[in-house]
Amino acid sequence: MAEPNQQFLVRFWGVRGSIACPGPTTVRYGGNTSCVEMLVGGHRLIFDGGTGLRELGLTLLTEGPIEANLFFTHSHWDHIQGFPFFVPAFMRGNRFNIYGAIAPNGSTIEQRLNDQMLHPNFPVPLQVMGADLKFCDIEVGETLHIGDITIENALLNHPGEAVGYRVTWQNYVAAYISDTEHYPDRLDENVVWLARNADVMIYDSTYTDDEYHDPKSSKVSWGHSTWQEAVKVAKAAGVKTLVIFHHDPAHDDDFMDQVAVQTKAAFPGAVVAKEGMVIDLTTSASAPLSSPMMGA
């Protein structure tokens, strides 16, 4: 494996949307909510703090002082639930730069993470965290640089707003696009822009088209997309590897197996996200690799 400062690895710690769903029917794909780690050019980037963030934090306890950059798409529960249980944030000597756009009501990401840890919602306030936490408000459309990494963002179509991210290092690109809902009559220009010629596009594919348009229980305006729309974006944007992500908690392992087969038939470069899955962008195929944590 390449030296850390020459790596671009994407590791999945939480792949679900809405609510964590651990149990015997979600073992193969995982039940934790959104959290994706990118190890890029010697830097650690973490996208969203769902319950998968707790699992990531536990693995970091064996390392020395930790420095990482945590980017939030938005602050719906399934993307922040893991933050109060992120053990490294309670330990002195660690440092975390925490990024998020200001919400429509004017609240910062610091305010929103603080509020979820206030009584009566949580017993321990954010201020107990002993690590050096630096909160950074980002503007929609702003370009950030961390070392030689470029991080761009764009607004997504989601209730209460969310932003997607595009990470570029050397000639490699990963796009993280969750949560978003497609438009009925066109592709979302922001989504296509984020995903343009990406080696990997991680896309909110919560539903199937049939579920989305179900006349008895329509999911229109709920803020999420489908794997069929993911394929359209991937083709239009010239994506190499499409990662189906933000799985509905009602979709068990057998259901996700069928999504995997159908998606790959429609787009050969498609994979379905599983907890523990790792994608190495520096390999020619950007193939998903097994994780020692998962054993498969």
Side-chain angles (χ1 to χ4, degrees):
M1 184 173 288
E3 293 296 321
N5 62 357
Q6 293 300 315
Q7 290 180 344
F8 195 147
L9 300 179
V10 180
R11 190 187 302 271
F12 295 82
W13 294 95
V15 301
R16 293 284 168 177
S18 303
I19 191 170
C21 54
T25 64
T26 58
V27 172
R28 294 199 304 275
Y29 289 86
N32 281 302
T33 59
S34 302
C35 183
V36 174
E37 177 190 25
M38 298 187 191
L39 300 176
V40 189
H43 297 272
R44 176 175 276 112
L45 313 180
I46 303 169
F47 292 87
D48 279 329
T51 58
L53 183 63
R54 173 183 174 273
E55 303 297 329
L56 169 56
L58 295 178
T59 69
L60 295 178
L61 296 180
T62 58
E63 298 188 15
I66 301 160
E67 181 169 353
N69 302 278
L70 179 53
F71 291 84
F72 285 92
T73 55
H74 63 313
S75 57
H76 284 163
W77 288 341
D78 52 330
H79 294 256
I80 64 172
Q81 288 167 321
F83 185 74
F85 301 93
F86 185 47
V87 177
F90 290 87
M91 301 172 66
R92 295 190 182 280
N94 294 336
R95 179 175 182 177
F96 299 98
N97 301 311
I98 301 171
Y99 299 85
I102 295 175
N105 69 356
S107 62
T108 65
I109 189 63
E110 180 178 10
Q111 289 172 316
R112 283 171 279 152
L113 292 176
N114 177 77
D115 289 352
Q116 79 160 336
M117 295 177 68
L118 293 177
H119 294 298
N121 300 320
F122 198 74
V124 178
L126 183 148
Q127 289 71 24
V128 172
M129 288 181 164
D132 180 7
L133 306 181
K134 180 181 179 182
F135 292 92
C136 309
D137 299 325
I138 60 174
E139 299 286 342
V140 173
E142 178 182 1
T143 298
L144 300 174
H145 297 280
I146 296 174
D148 56 352
I149 306 166
T150 299
I151 302 163
E152 300 168 284
N153 75 76
L155 192 66
L156 301 178
N157 181 31
H158 192 67
E161 295 188 355
V163 295
Y165 293 98
R166 175 184 173 90
V167 180
T168 303
W169 176 72
Q170 298 188 1
N171 294 318
Y172 304 107
V173 177
Y176 178 72
I177 303 169
S178 182
D179 296 11
T180 197
E181 182 169 0
H182 58 276
Y183 293 108
D185 56 347
R186 68 189 191 280
L187 294 178
D188 187 329
E189 294 180 355
N190 285 355
V191 169
V192 174
W193 179 80
L194 287 168
R196 66 193 185 279
N197 301 315
D199 295 281
V200 172
M201 178 183 76
I202 303 162
Y203 184 84
D204 176 357
S205 309
T206 303
Y207 307 118
T208 66
D209 276 356
D210 287 343
E211 291 173 322
Y212 183 79
H213 294 291
D214 186 343
K216 294 183 179 179
S217 181
S218 170
K219 304 301 188 296
V220 175
S221 79
W222 285 29
H224 301 288
S225 193
T226 70
W227 70 258
Q228 289 95 336
E229 291 295 327
V231 168
K232 292 180 184 178
V233 172
K235 290 179 177 179
V239 168
K240 294 179 183 177
T241 298
L242 163 64
V243 181
I244 301 302
F245 184 73
H246 204 270
H247 314 324
D248 190 304
H251 293 171
D252 62 15
D253 288 332
D254 291 341
F255 190 100
M256 295 312 304
D257 283 345
Q258 290 301 310
V259 170
V261 169
Q262 295 169 338
T263 307
K264 195 159 187 74
F267 189 82
V271 294
V272 174
K274 295 181 177 182
E275 283 184 31
M277 186 175 80
V278 179
I279 298 176
D280 184 349
L281 272 68
T282 62
T283 63
S284 58
S286 292
L289 307 175
S290 64
S291 166
M293 180 188 73
M294 299 298 290

